[in-house]
């Protein structure tokens, strides 16, 4: 919790606001990029990427799950070259 921050970091509200500002203005991205570049130059990085589809899942709403209520009425479709109904 922010209120348990040691006193040498000043007020917890100030530290929290400062970290939020750094996130918003891109400071953390710059620090991370610099650290990655340094580690890569020194040969300390192994670039291994693995994605396991058993843990990468979409939320049920993102997967097109039916929402509550009746199905919406579907509009009849017309082949793109056919005559218009009259």
């Amino acid at each position: 919790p922010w209120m348990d921050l040691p006193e040498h970091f000043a007020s917890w509200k100030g530290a929290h606001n400062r970290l939020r500002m750094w996130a918003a203005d891109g400071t953390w991205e710059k620090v991370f990029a610099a650290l990655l570049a340094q580690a890569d130059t020194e040969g300390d990085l192994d670039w291994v990427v693995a994605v396991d589809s058993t843990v990468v899942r979409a939320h049920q709403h993102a997967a097109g799950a039916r929402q509550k209520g009746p199905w919406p009425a579907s509009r009849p479709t017309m082949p793109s070259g056919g005559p218009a109904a009259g």
Side-chain angles (χ1 to χ4, degrees), residues 33-44:
L35 289 172
L36 279 176
Q38 179 182 355
D40 196 24
T41 301
E42 295 172 359
D44 290 339

Side-chain angles (χ1 to χ4, degrees), residues 45-75:
L45 290 180
D46 289 328
W47 292 98
V48 177
V49 177
V51 177
D52 182 356
S53 65
T54 62
V55 295
V56 180
R57 298 182 182 155
H59 188 271
Q60 65 182 356
H61 296 127
R66 181 173 169 249
Q67 297 189 6
K68 293 182 180 180
W71 285 98
S74 61
R75 296 185 343 204

